[in-house]
Amino acid sequence: MITVEKVGVKCTKRRIPLINCQTNGFFGFSKSFIPEHCVIESHSEEIDDLRICDPFAELSEYVDSVDLSALDEMEHSHVPYLVLLIKFIAEWKSKNGGNIPQTFKQKKEFAAQIKEAKGTFDRQNYEEAENNVLRLITEYKIPEHI
């Protein structure tokens, strides 16, 4: 019996999942030793707070230092999508009494504004910003476990 299989059998007896992956150029394989009823969580429901809606002073200064109107197309496409989100949130707040998008409908409107601002250019950073609106646009709350 090959060493990996021996380890796999021992891990299975102890209910420890083991995934063996090997590659050689474009060829590869994987073998899983996973006991029954073992769940491997690949997506965490917990979202990191990136302080998009209420950025700290240094982050605000950096975002304010980026003048999108003064950038050429190449520079514009390299602006991090978080900077774009913070700029768009500030604009939204100024038009909506200091409030961030709260409802699903408002967040969809917000995402549509980002898509419109992208224009016809191939800007992946705008697409990333648009795709992360529902996930990242939330008010900061101190986690319950703290």
Side-chain angles (χ1 to χ4, degrees):
M1 190 179 263
I2 301 174
T3 304
V4 173
E5 290 180 1
K6 288 179 183 176
V7 172
V9 169
K10 290 185 183 218
C11 286
T12 302
K13 287 180 182 175
R14 290 178 175 81
R15 304 195 55 76
I16 301 170
L18 173 69
I19 299 174
N20 175 37
C21 299
Q22 294 183 0
T23 62
N24 185 8
F26 289 114
F27 177 74
F29 77 92
S30 67
K31 184 167 184 174
S32 302
F33 299 89
I34 300 176
E36 290 182 31
H37 305 328
C38 179
V39 177
I40 297 175
E41 180 64 45
S42 62
H43 299 289
S44 173
E45 291 297 319
E46 195 171 313
I47 298 171
D48 293 330
D49 175 35
L50 301 175
R51 303 301 297 257
I52 293 172
C53 298
D54 186 24
F56 51 91
E58 293 84 358
L59 181 55
S60 290
E61 287 174 22
Y62 173 72
V63 170
D64 292 341
S65 73
V66 178
D67 182 8
L68 296 176
S69 62
L71 301 177
D72 65 25
E73 183 56 34
M74 181 60 78
E75 293 169 328
H76 205 108
S77 66
H78 285 90
V79 174
Y81 80 93
L82 295 173
V83 171
L84 297 173
L85 280 175
I86 293 169
K87 283 190 169 292
F88 282 109
I89 281 289
E91 185 180 321
W92 177 278
K93 283 179 164 182
S94 70
K95 294 177 182 176
N96 294 282
N99 298 317
I100 64 170
Q102 298 285 336
T103 65
F104 182 76
K105 182 182 176 188
Q106 288 176 333
K107 289 182 180 184
K108 282 296 196 183
E109 288 174 24
F110 183 73
Q113 288 178 356
I114 295 172
K115 186 174 188 170
E116 184 181 321
K118 175 187 171 198
T120 58
F121 298 105
D122 182 28
R123 297 177 178 163
Q124 289 180 336
N125 51 352
Y126 277 78
E127 290 172 16
E128 283 182 294
E130 182 185 350
N131 293 337
N132 282 291
V133 166
L134 294 176
R135 209 171 66 79
L136 297 177
I137 304 299
T138 58
E139 284 190 65
Y140 175 70
K141 295 178 184 171
I142 297 174
E144 291 182 19
H145 67 277
I146 294 181

